[in-house]
Amino acid sequence: MNKKIVRFSSLLIAVLMVLSLCACGEEEETYDYKSPLPTTTEDILARFNEAVAGTKKGNPGISYSIDQGAGMSGEQKDKCENEYVKAAFKTVSKAITEESFSKETVYGDSTKDIFPTVGSEETPVLTNADVRSAYCMENKDDGTGATYIIVIKIYPEKDPNQTDSVYGKLYNIMDDEEILSNFDVVSNIVTVDSYSAQYGEGTIKAILKKDTDQLTELKLSRDVVVTTELKGQGTLAEDIGTVPLEFNYNSTENYSIDWFDPATRNAK
């Protein structure tokens, strides 16, 4: 009886050792992180707000660019039957989307005039009431370090401005005068006095370093439906008259953040 117990115990120990080795072999690689993965909307927004604030105040090097486009859907083209107006819109949209908005700062420069909220020392803060959804996922090390990816959706807004709208907290919104000035390229054909802009659901994508919670990339995407009226000028005043126009505008603002301090390059 004792021999049977000894044999069973030995077999059990051997099985446990094998299972232990298997478990070690299957263990996933782990990474250092400053803070655990946020899961609730409140925690995600808190992490995002802290990262944005740290960037605004930390003065890292920032590269900014914007990808943009403008066009008319089939339905919008059907609404606009005037060929002069369609031709004018092609000229305006080309002028708007080809203009370069890229800029950059070096480490230590003020971020006031390049990073949200642009032109202000204030740091943008998003609350639960501002967003439709928010989620965060972990991206394992791809050679540049493990990261958190935060994606936030904000509610649609009509005619938002830079000072008191949710879009204005982060997005770079041109004022009315600047937007209408884009139509100056065709002022001999048509003029535009006013417009209305319906912003759709905005998408914010932020990438944070997992070991420091620092922001390394920020993308702000938006889709806008612009509604306005074009008035014919000069000899075209009678041919065109006043024509309603609706078109789509989309853009993605890209921020690349570099936290490397050149002063430490030769530090030992």
Side-chain angles (χ1 to χ4, degrees):
M1 185 67 166
N2 288 338
K3 290 182 178 181
K4 289 183 179 180
I5 292 175
V6 171
R7 288 175 182 173
F8 179 76
S9 299
S10 299
L11 179 61
L12 181 61
I13 292 172
V15 170
L16 291 175
M17 289 179 67
V18 171
L19 291 175
S20 176
L21 290 172
C22 289
C24 290
E26 295 175 358
E27 184 177 352
E28 292 186 2
E29 191 174 357
T30 58
Y31 303 93
D32 293 332
Y33 60 90
K34 182 177 180 180
S35 308
L37 181 76
T39 55
T40 67
T41 298
E42 186 175 2
D43 289 343
I44 292 170
L45 293 182
R47 183 73 54 84
F48 174 79
N49 290 333
E50 288 171 6
V52 172
T55 303
K56 190 76 180 264
K57 298 173 183 176
N59 297 334
I62 297 178
S63 295
Y64 169 85
S65 65
I66 183 169
D67 302 317
Q68 54 185 344
M72 298 172 69
S73 67
E75 184 179 345
Q76 289 168 335
K77 289 179 180 178
D78 291 339
K79 290 180 181 178
C80 181
E81 299 177 353
N82 192 296
E83 295 303 320
Y84 290 111
V85 171
K86 290 180 182 180
F89 172 74
K90 290 179 182 179
T91 303
V92 173
S93 64
K94 186 176 181 180
I96 294 173
T97 56
E98 284 189 353
E99 187 174 350
S100 174
F101 288 92
S102 62
K103 60 176 74 172
E104 62 182 19
T105 63
V106 298
Y107 186 94
D109 283 355
S110 171
T111 61
K112 174 185 174 182
D113 295 324
I114 190 173
F115 198 71
T117 301
V118 175
S120 171
E121 297 288 357
E122 294 183 5
T123 300
V125 176
L126 291 179
T127 68
N128 288 43
D130 297 330
V131 308
R132 174 168 282 175
S133 65
Y135 67 88
C136 181
M137 55 188 174
E138 179 182 0
N139 186 33
K140 294 182 180 178
D141 196 345
D142 60 359
T144 60
T147 58
Y148 289 133
I149 301 174
I150 292 176
V151 177
I152 300 169
K153 301 282 188 179
I154 63 174
Y155 289 108
E157 282 191 85
K158 184 164 184 169
D159 296 327
N161 59 63
Q162 197 72 63
T163 56
D164 57 5
S165 71
V166 176
Y167 262 100
K169 289 182 178 182
L170 285 161
Y171 292 72
N172 187 15
I173 300 176
M174 293 186 290
D175 59 33
D176 290 355
E177 274 187 34
E178 190 174 358
I179 291 173
L180 292 174
S181 69
N182 287 306
F183 288 87
D184 289 346
V185 293
V186 289
S187 59
N188 61 320
I189 303 174
V190 295
T191 58
V192 179
D193 296 328
S194 61
Y195 73 97
S196 177
Q198 177 60 61
Y199 281 56
E201 184 181 73
T203 301
I204 300 166
K205 180 180 179 182
I207 298 179
L208 281 60
K209 293 176 64 176
K210 192 176 178 185
D211 57 347
T212 63
D213 285 348
Q214 289 176 321
L215 187 67
T216 60
E217 287 185 41
L218 179 64
K219 293 182 180 292
L220 308 172
S221 300
R222 55 184 160 177
D223 293 295
V224 187
V225 176
V226 180
T227 304
T228 187
E229 285 186 341
L230 303 186
K231 296 180 181 179
Q233 297 299 307
T235 58
L236 296 178
E238 186 175 339
D239 292 331
I240 295 178
T242 300
V243 181
L245 175 68
E246 182 179 280
F247 63 92
N248 302 314
Y249 171 78
N250 61 80
S251 72
T252 299
E253 296 176 72
N254 306 288
Y255 293 89
S256 179
I257 296 99
D258 183 2
W259 290 93
F260 177 72
D261 181 356
T264 65
R265 185 186 299 276
N266 299 318
K268 295 182 180 180

